[in-house]
Amino acid sequence: MGLRVIGAGVGRTGTESLRQALEQLLGGRCYHMFEIIAGRRDHVPVWLDAARGEYPVWDEFLADYVAAVDWPAASFWPELLAANPDALVLLSVRDVDAWWASASATIFSPRLEEQKARVGFPPDWPDAVLESRFDPQWREEGAAKEAYLRHNDAVRAAVPAGQLLEWAPGDGWEPICDALGVAVPDGPFPHANTSAEFQRLLGAPS
C-alpha cells in the first residue's frame, strides 16, 4: 500500500507525538527513530548505505508502515515522496531557537554519544546521515540552525501546496485530520518525548 504520510520535519519538532497520533488515525505503524532503538538494528546499515546514495527499494524496506516521521526518514523525504507520490507530506516545525535548544539538549547531546557506545551502535550512526543529509557541521549551533531553516524551505519549495501540511506542536488534531479526511478523535493530542523525558533517558538531570 505504501506510505500515506511522509514526515519531513526534523527531530525535536514533535515527531514522537506525531507518531502516536498517526498510528491512531491510520490504524497502522509509523516509522520513527525509536523503531531502530527498540530493536530494528538491521535497519542501521540500510540507512547508512542510503546516506551514501545506495537506496533500498523503499516500498519493500518500509512495507510494514503506513507513515514515517523523525530521523532518519525525514532526511530522505524527496526519495520517499518519489516512491509514494500520493502521500501527504507533513512538515513539522517550531521556532528555530526553540528547536536548537531542544536538539542540543537531547539528540545532539554528547551524552547521547555515550549511550550509543554503551548499547553497541556503530560509531558513525546516525552521524553519517546527519552529515550527508543535514549539514556536516550539525553539532555547531549556527550551522545547525541554518541547516534546519534550509531543510524546511526546501520542503516548502518542492512539495505541491495541496500535498503539503505544515504543522507545529500545539496545532493538534484538526489540521492533520482535515488533510487526511478522517474524523477528529475525542481524546487529547499525544504529548510525548519532551526534552525532560529524553534527558532522563540519557541519565541527565532535567
Side-chain angles (χ1 to χ4, degrees):
M1 181 175 66
L3 298 179
R4 293 182 58 188
V5 177
I6 297 167
V10 304
R12 306 313 300 171
T13 58
T15 55
E16 171 58 9
S17 300
L18 279 174
R19 181 190 70 80
Q20 296 182 20
L22 290 170
E23 289 189 342
Q24 182 175 341
L25 293 175
L26 299 177
R29 294 168 64 190
C30 178
Y31 197 90
H32 186 285
M33 176 69 87
F34 284 163
E35 290 286 300
I36 299 170
I37 295 172
R40 294 311 306 258
R41 304 294 180 86
D42 57 315
H43 283 193
V44 169
V46 177
W47 289 114
L48 291 175
D49 284 346
R52 294 188 288 267
E54 302 170 12
Y55 304 127
V57 178
W58 294 107
D59 288 348
E60 294 178 4
F61 178 54
L62 298 175
D64 295 334
Y65 303 91
V66 296
V69 299
D70 197 61
W71 304 112
S75 299
F76 295 89
W77 66 267
E79 291 82 3
L80 291 175
L81 182 57
N84 301 272
D86 296 324
L88 173 71
V89 178
L90 200 167
L91 177 63
S92 51
V93 298
R94 64 193 299 189
D95 172 78
V96 64
D97 292 321
W99 169 79
W100 171 254
S102 178
S104 61
T106 55
I107 58 176
F108 295 169
S109 169
R111 287 183 174 270
L112 187 59
E113 297 298 314
E114 299 169 9
Q115 289 282 47
K116 283 165 48 182
R118 280 198 291 270
V119 302
F121 276 121
D124 57 346
W125 174 256
D127 303 19
V129 175
L130 287 165
E131 289 169 8
S132 69
R133 304 291 298 200
F134 190 59
D135 192 274
Q137 306 301 321
W138 57 270
R139 294 177 181 85
E140 298 179 8
E141 179 177 357
K145 286 181 175 179
E146 289 180 7
Y148 171 81
L149 296 172
R150 187 169 61 245
H151 172 96
N152 292 344
D153 285 343
V155 177
R156 295 181 184 115
V159 181
Q163 197 172 0
L164 175 65
L165 171 63
E166 190 164 333
W167 177 94
D171 287 351
W173 291 112
E174 285 78 5
I176 301 173
C177 293
D178 183 60
L180 292 174
V182 299
V184 176
D186 292 332
F189 195 89
H191 181 61
N193 197 28
T194 65
S195 292
E197 291 169 342
F198 199 108
Q199 288 170 339
R200 282 194 292 272
L201 289 174
L202 295 179
S206 58

